[in-house]
Amino acid sequence: VTPLAWQGGPADGRLWMLDQRALPLAERWIPLDTADEVATAITDMVVRGAPAIGWAAAWGAFLEARRLGDQASAAALAPALARLRAARPTAVNLMWAIDRLQALAARSAPSELADRFFEEARAIGAMDRAANRAMGDAGAAEVEGDGLHVLTICNTGSLATSGWGTAAGVIRSLHAQGRLACAWACETRPWLQGARLTAWELQRDGVPVRLLTDGMVGHLMKTRRIAAVFVGADRIARNGDSANKIGTYQLAVLAHHHGVPFHVVAPTTTVDLATPHGDAIPIEERSPDEVTAVQGVQIAPEGTPAWHPAFDVTPAALIRSIVTEQGAARPAYEASLAAAVQAGVATHSAR
Ligand code: MRU
C-alpha cells in the first residue's frame, strides 16, 4: 500500500491520496490538483506520518510549479511553499522537503523548474523507500533471538512513508527473518493510527499483530516478555531527544522501569541538528474536539474542556539506539547523530 500516487505524465497527471481518515472502513482515493489542496490534506490528516507528509509536500510544490509554468521562480513559488511548510509543525521531514525544493528553485531556470520539481518529488519517494529497507534490517539486528514480542505505537508503516516503514519496517524485517511472534500495536488515542492503520496494513501483509489500548502497556510489560519497543519519530533533536506520537514518552518510561530496550527508528531526514534538545521542538496542539469525540461521535459530555498535544518528547537518556538508514546511532547522540546525518546528506546529494 502507498499513501499517495502520481498518475499520468508531468503535464497532465494528477496526484491521488489514499484518505487515511477513512481507513480501514473505506479505501477512498482523493485527487489533488493544487498546492493548497495538498497543504489542507496534510493539516487534515488525509496523509500523515513524517516521511509521507514531506513527500506529499514535494508533490504539492510541483503542482504549483506546473501551474506557474514559465512564470515559475523561487519568488513566485514562495507563498505556496510557505503554506505547505506550515501545514503541520512537528515533523521536520516536511521542512526538509520544502528546503530542498526551495534550493532547487533558486538554481533552476523558469522553463525547466516544473520538470525538475517533478523529478525531485519522485526522487524523495525513492530515497525514502531505500532508507526504509536499510532501517528495517538495521533495527532487526538490534534484537537477538526469535519468537519475539515487540511493541509499537501509531503508524510507522507503508502508510506513513513511501516504502515499508520505519519502526513498522523493523517489524516487517523481523517477520521476514522468521523471528517475530507478535507485534503489539498501541491503539494510539485519539486518532487511532494503531488500531485503524497499523493493524490494517500489517494484517494485509500477514504480519502477526495484536492490538491493545494505550493504557494497557504497563500491564503488558509486567506480565509478558517484550523483547523491545520500536517507535518512529517526527523530529529528533541534536542531543537525541525524540518527538513522536503522543503516548510514546510513557512507553519509554515504562520500558525503562521494566528493563525493555527502547529504540527509535527514523531516516536521517528526521534528525534536526538545528534543534539542540527536545524542549525546543514545536509540539503540535490539535483541536480538543478530536479528544472529546471519536470519529465524529461525541463521547464526553458536551462542553467538556480537553487537551490535545499531538506529540510528546522522549528524552535521549531513555533511548537505547536511534536507527537510521546509516545504521544504529548510540549515545552520546550529539556525535553519532551528526555522523549519521553527514553520511545521509552525502547519499542524498550523490544521486
Ligand atoms: O500525527 P501523525 O499520524 O502524523 O503522527 C505520526 C507519527 O507520530 C509517526 O510515528 C512518525 O511520523 C513516524 S512515521 C514513519
Side-chain angles (χ1 to χ4, degrees), residues 45 48-51 88 154 156 160-161 166 193 233-234 244-245 311:
M45 310 276 285
R48 28 67 49 204
R88 288 190 78 189
C154 198
T156 59
T161 62
T166 58
Q193 290 94 330
D234 290 82
N244 190 49
K245 180 50 54 196
F311 300 95

Side-chain angles (χ1 to χ4, degrees), residues 85-166:
R85 181 190 290 274
R88 288 190 78 189
T90 303
V92 78
N93 304 63
L94 176 59
M95 296 74 189
W96 172 85
I98 297 298
D99 284 347
R100 278 182 78 94
L101 291 157
Q102 228 155 13
L104 185 60
R107 58 175 196 269
S108 305
S111 58
E112 60 176 22
L113 203 148
D115 282 346
R116 294 186 77 174
F117 269 33
F118 185 79
E119 287 313 318
E120 185 65 12
R122 283 164 43 129
I124 285 174
M127 282 189 284
D128 189 51
R129 266 190 296 284
N132 282 188
R133 295 306 284 247
M135 276 182 275
D137 292 344
E142 291 295 292
V143 271
E144 285 176 356
D146 49 25
L148 299 170
H149 288 246
V150 302
L151 175 71
T152 193
I153 187 167
C154 198
N155 173 266
T156 59
S158 300
L159 290 164
T161 62
S162 60
W164 83 345
T166 58

Side-chain angles (χ1 to χ4, degrees), residues 155-234:
N155 173 266
T156 59
S158 300
L159 290 164
T161 62
S162 60
W164 83 345
T166 58
V170 174
I171 288 166
R172 283 195 167 90
S173 284
L174 288 171
H175 177 63
Q177 293 167 9
R179 300 167 59 211
L180 181 74
C182 182
W184 292 83
C186 290
E187 170 192 48
T188 321
R189 279 276 288 148
W191 269 84
L192 309 178
Q193 290 94 330
R196 295 188 304 103
L197 309 177
T198 300
W200 180 73
E201 67 164 84
L202 291 183
Q203 280 192 65
R204 266 169 70 113
D205 289 353
V207 180
V209 58
R210 193 156 177 190
L211 192 62
L212 73 169
T213 69
D214 305 354
M216 296 173 185
V217 168
H219 186 63
L220 176 81
M221 287 191 190
K222 198 168 158 200
T223 55
R224 302 206 181 213
R225 206 177 138 71
I226 300 300
V229 180
F230 290 100
V231 302
D234 290 82

Side-chain angles (χ1 to χ4, degrees), residues 253-303:
V253 173
L254 283 164
H256 180 72
H257 182 78
H258 291 283
V260 176
F262 181 95
H263 302 274
V264 171
V265 188
T268 50
T269 52
T270 305
V271 180
D272 180 11
L273 296 178
T275 297
H277 50 70
D279 292 347
I281 298 176
I283 298 295
E284 176 180 16
E285 294 226 1
R286 296 187 64 90
S287 168
D289 296 350
E290 294 173 352
V291 173
T292 53
V294 174
Q295 302 210 284
V297 178
Q298 184 74 22
I299 53 163
E302 207 63 58

